[in-house]
C-alpha cells in the first residue's frame, strides 16, 4: 500500500499533470463505487487546486453485470435521455474529466455476448457527442488506475487477495513514478523524452511503417497524409496541455485507412468489454480486414469486427520500447491503460483527429481524404513482441530502422 502522502501525490498527478485542471473549472470524476476513497482524494486535491465544483459520475460494475444478466436487450439498449443529457452537460460546461479505471476484466463473463454487443453499440451511439469532445481534445481528460481486489485477483490468481492487491500497488507505485522524491517533476522529465522521439518521427514524415517479427507479423501500415506523431502531453482545443493517459509510454499517430497490407499477430491478450481475446491474427488488404483467426474469444472478436464498417480498419499505431517500466514489470494487467503501454499497439476503429495536422478543423470528407479512419469503436490491441522490428519507409523508399528486437534504435 502506498503511504497517505504518496496517495495524495497520485491524486495530484491526476489533477495537475493528467487533466491539468485550471482554477475555476468543473471537474468530473468517473469512477466505480469500489474505489470511492481514491475519488474522494482526487476531489479534495481538485478543490485544493482551485476547482469550482467536483462532480462524481459513479459507476457500479456489479450492478452493470446484474443488468446484463437479467434485463432484456431492448430495455438495455434504450439508453435513457437523462444519461445522454448528463454527458452533454459535461461537454457544454467544458468540464475536465478524470476517469479512474479499475474494472474487473471478467465482469461480463457468462453474459450473453450478443446482448452485450448490442448494448455496447447502443451506448456508443448515445455517447457520440461526448466521445467526439474527448477525442478531439475539446475537453481535457485523463485516465488513472488503482487496484481493486477483483482486478488484482485476475492479475495474480495464485496469490491470496490481499497480497495480490499489495503486489499491484507495488507495481503501480513504480510505474506511476510515485517512488521518486518528486513525482510531478519525474513526469515532466519523462514527457520530455517522449516528445523528443515524436519530433524525430515528425521530421521524417514516413509514408509507411513496416512491422515484422518471428511469430507471424509482417504488416505495412501506411500513415495518414499530414499525420502527426503525438506523445504524452497533448494540447486541448483551449490551448492548454494535458496528459490523457497516466501512465503513458506511447508515441502514436494515425494510419492511412486505405494503405494497410499484411498480417499482424497479437502479442498480449485483448480484453474487450469483459471478454478476453487471445492468440489471434488479422490480415489486411488495402486498409481493410479480410481475414482473422482467434484461438480464444473468436466470437468476441467476430462481434467486435461486425459492429460497424470502420472497425475493419485501423485508427492508431503506437510505438513503445520493451524497456518501459510497464513492460519491464512483466505483469499482464488485463487493462488497456497499462497493457497498451507495455507494447507497440494498433487500434481497430476510429482515429484521433488530433493525429493529423489541422484534423480538428477538417470536414468528415477532408478527414477521409487524409486516410483518417472513422468508427464508433476504438479498441487497442498489442502487437509489440520482444523481437519486433519496425522500419520507417519514406515516400522516396528510404528505410530508417526505428525498432530492433523490441526497442527503440533512434
Ligand atoms: Zn495508444
Ligand atoms: Zn488507442
Amino acid at each position: 500500500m502506498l503511504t497517505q502522502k504518496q496517495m495524495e501525490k497520485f491524486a495530484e498527478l491526476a489533477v495537475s499533470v493528467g487533466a491539468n485542471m485550471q482554477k475555476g473549472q468543473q471537474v468530473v470524476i468517473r469512477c466505480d463505487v469500489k474505489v470511492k476513497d481514491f475519488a474522494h482524494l482526487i476531489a479534495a486535491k481538485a478543490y485544493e487546486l482551485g476547482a469550482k465544483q467536483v462532480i462524481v459520475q459513479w459507476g457500479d460494475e456489479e450492478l452493470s453485470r446484474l443488468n446484463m444478466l437479467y434485463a432484456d436487450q431492448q430495455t438495455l439498449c434504450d439508453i435513457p435521455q437523462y444519461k445522454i443529457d448528463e454527458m452533454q452537460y459535461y461537454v457544454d460546461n467544458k468540464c475536465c474529466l478524470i476517469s479512474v479505471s479499475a474494472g474487473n476484466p471478467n465482469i461480463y463473463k457468462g453474459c450473453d455476448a450478443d446482448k452485450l454487443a448490442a448494448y455496447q453499440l447502443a451506448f456508443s451511439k448515445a455517447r457520440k457527442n461526448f466521445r467526439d469532445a474527448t477525442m478531439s481534445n475539446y475537453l481535457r481528460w485523463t485516465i488513472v488506475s488503482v487496484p481493486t481486489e477483483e482486478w488484482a485477483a485476475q492479475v495474480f490468481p495464485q496469490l491470496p487477495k490481499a497480497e495480490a492487491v499489495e503486489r499491484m500497488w507495488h507495481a503501480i507505485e513504480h510505474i506511476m513514478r510515485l517512488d521518486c522524491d518528486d513525482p510531478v517533476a519525474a513526469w515532466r522529465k519523462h514527457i520530455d523524452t517522449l516528445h523528443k522521439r515524436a519530433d524525430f518521427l515528425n521530421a521524417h514524415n514516413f509514408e509507411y511503417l513496416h512491422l515484422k517479427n518471428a511469430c507471424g507479423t509482417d504488416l505495412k501500415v501506411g500513415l495518414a497524409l499530414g499525420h502527426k506523431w503525438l506523445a504524452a502531453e497533448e494540447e486541448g482545443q483551449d490551448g492548454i496541455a494535458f496528459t490523457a493517459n497516466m501512465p503513458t509510454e506511447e508515441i502514436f499517430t494515425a494510419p492511412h485507412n486505405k494503405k494497410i497490407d499484411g498480417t499482424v499477430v497479437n502479442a498480449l491478450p485483448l480484453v474487450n468489454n469483459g471478454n478476453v481475446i487471445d492468440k489471434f491474427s488479422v490480415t489486411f488488404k488495402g486498409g481493410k480486414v479480410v481475414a482473422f483467426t482467434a484461438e480464444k474469444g473468436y466470437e468476441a472478436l467476430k462481434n467486435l469486427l461486425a459492429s460497424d464498417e470502420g472497425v475493419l480498419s485501423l485508427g492508431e499505431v503506437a510505438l513503445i520500447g520493451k524497456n518501459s517500466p510497464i513492460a519491464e514489470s512483466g505483469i499482464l494487467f488485463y487493462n488497456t491503460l497499462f497493457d497498451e503501454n507495455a507494447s507497440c499497439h494498433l487500434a481497430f476503429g476510429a482515429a484521433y483527429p488530433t493525429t493529423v495536422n489541422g484534423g480538428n478543423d477538417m470536414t468528415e470528407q477532408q478527414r477521409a481524404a487524409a486516410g483518417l479512419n472513422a468508427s464508433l469503436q476504438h479498441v487497442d490491441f498489442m502487437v509489440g513482441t520482444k523481437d519486433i522490428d519496425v522500419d520507417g519507409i519514406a515516400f522516396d523508399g528510404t528505410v530508417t530502422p526505428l525498432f530492433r528486437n523490441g526497442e527503440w534504435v533512434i
Side-chain angles (χ1 to χ4, degrees):
M1 192 61 199
L2 303 184
T3 62
Q4 180 65 18
K5 200 169 154 232
Q6 282 179 309
M7 287 301 291
E8 283 169 17
K9 277 284 167 205
F10 195 174
E12 185 182 342
L13 283 176
V15 176
S16 61
V17 180
N20 196 4
M21 182 205 75
Q22 303 293 297
K23 280 200 172 105
Q25 221 185 346
Q26 282 175 298
V27 180
V28 179
I29 302 171
R30 307 167 76 214
C31 132
D32 198 273
V33 289
K34 275 181 195 144
V35 291
K36 67 175 173 51
D37 293 346
F38 188 56
H40 293 154
L41 264 183
I42 296 173
K45 187 52 82 176
Y47 276 124
E48 191 188 315
L49 294 171
K52 177 182 173 188
Q53 186 191 20
V54 178
I55 300 165
V56 183
Q57 188 185 35
W58 296 110
D60 180 349
E61 63 176 12
E62 292 302 335
L63 183 65
S64 300
R65 175 179 170 78
L66 291 172
N67 284 335
M68 196 51 62
L69 282 172
Y70 302 114
D72 65 68
Q73 183 167 322
Q74 204 181 339
T75 307
L76 284 173
C77 291
D78 187 9
I79 310 295
Q81 188 59 40
Y82 77 88
K83 293 249 187 214
I84 300 168
D85 293 345
E86 184 186 23
M87 292 185 275
Q88 193 57 44
Y89 176 89
Y90 303 153
V91 177
D92 294 344
N93 289 280
K94 292 197 180 175
C95 298
C96 81
L97 310 169
I98 298 174
S99 298
V100 182
S101 155
N104 173 355
N106 273 322
I107 194 70
Y108 292 123
K109 198 175 177 184
C111 293
D112 180 338
D114 291 340
K115 187 154 96 174
L116 182 61
Y119 164 73
Q120 272 149 358
L121 187 59
F123 187 64
S124 279
K125 283 184 180 158
R127 66 195 287 275
K128 182 175 186 308
N129 262 352
F130 177 73
R131 192 185 43 251
D132 287 351
T134 54
M135 286 191 76
S136 66
N137 295 351
Y138 181 76
L139 300 181
R140 275 177 281 113
W141 54 282
T142 193
I143 309 177
V144 294
S145 224
V146 290
T148 61
E149 276 193 358
E150 293 75 9
W151 179 22
Q154 166 96 22
V155 176
F156 300 110
Q158 73 285 8
L159 297 180
K161 271 190 180 170
E163 210 175 308
V165 171
E166 189 55 41
R167 280 281 294 277
M168 288 274 282
W169 271 119
H170 189 69
I172 288 175
E173 177 186 7
H174 181 56
I175 288 166
M176 292 300 294
R177 298 169 167 83
L178 293 164
D179 50 1
C180 300
D181 286 343
D182 184 349
V184 173
W187 267 91
R188 291 272 162 236
K189 192 168 163 235
H190 171 54
I191 289 169
D192 230 50
T193 307
L194 293 175
H195 284 184
K196 285 196 176 116
R197 286 198 174 117
D199 291 347
F200 177 93
L201 295 167
N202 283 327
H204 279 77
N205 185 33
F206 295 117
E207 183 180 15
Y208 285 99
L209 295 187
H210 185 192
L211 283 62
K212 220 172 163 209
N213 68 13
C215 66
T217 291
D218 186 353
L219 185 74
K220 275 176 99 176
V221 181
L223 301 180
L225 302 174
H227 71 271
K228 189 162 71 176
W229 288 92
L230 298 176
E233 215 166 45
E234 298 178 47
E235 193 166 289
Q237 284 191 33
D238 53 10
I240 297 168
F242 69 102
T243 304
N245 288 335
M246 295 193 77
T248 184
E249 303 287 341
E250 67 173 340
I251 301 171
F252 66 101
T253 193
H256 191 297
N257 69 351
K258 302 264 183 316
K259 290 166 62 172
I260 307 160
D261 289 281
T263 296
V264 65
V265 177
N266 76 306
L268 287 168
L270 161 59
V271 183
N272 184 42
N273 300 315
N275 292 300
V276 179
I277 306 167
D278 199 10
K279 295 194 164 49
F280 65 94
S281 77
V282 186
T283 300
F284 293 85
K285 207 173 166 193
K288 239 178 158 178
V289 176
V290 290
F292 61 91
T293 63
E295 283 181 33
K296 187 172 181 191
Y298 178 83
E299 284 300 314
L301 181 59
K302 191 172 144 197
N303 280 333
L304 169 66
L305 293 176
S307 55
D308 71 6
E309 184 62 26
V311 78
L312 291 171
S313 192
L314 298 177
E316 179 186 351
V317 52
L319 301 175
I320 296 121
K322 68 180 174 189
N323 299 326
S324 84
I326 301 176
E328 274 182 334
S329 79
I331 299 170
L332 175 61
F333 285 90
Y334 294 97
N335 178 306
T336 304
L337 181 62
F338 291 88
D339 295 333
E340 79 156 0
N341 279 300
S343 164
C344 295
H345 57 271
L346 303 169
F348 294 118
Y352 292 91
T354 49
T355 48
V356 290
N357 289 305
N360 272 334
D361 302 322
M362 288 180 175
T363 62
E364 275 179 34
Q365 285 82 350
Q366 287 170 321
R367 288 180 188 173
L372 269 194
N373 200 42
S375 168
L376 290 171
Q377 303 278 5
H378 178 97
V379 179
D380 296 297
F381 62 101
M382 312 314 140
V383 302
T385 50
K386 284 191 163 66
D387 68 335
I388 197 162
D389 289 346
V390 182
D391 289 330
I393 302 169
F395 280 90
D396 68 3
T398 315
V399 177
T400 306
L402 301 176
F403 268 65
R404 285 296 175 265
N405 279 317
E407 189 50 69
W408 289 100
V409 290
I410 61 166

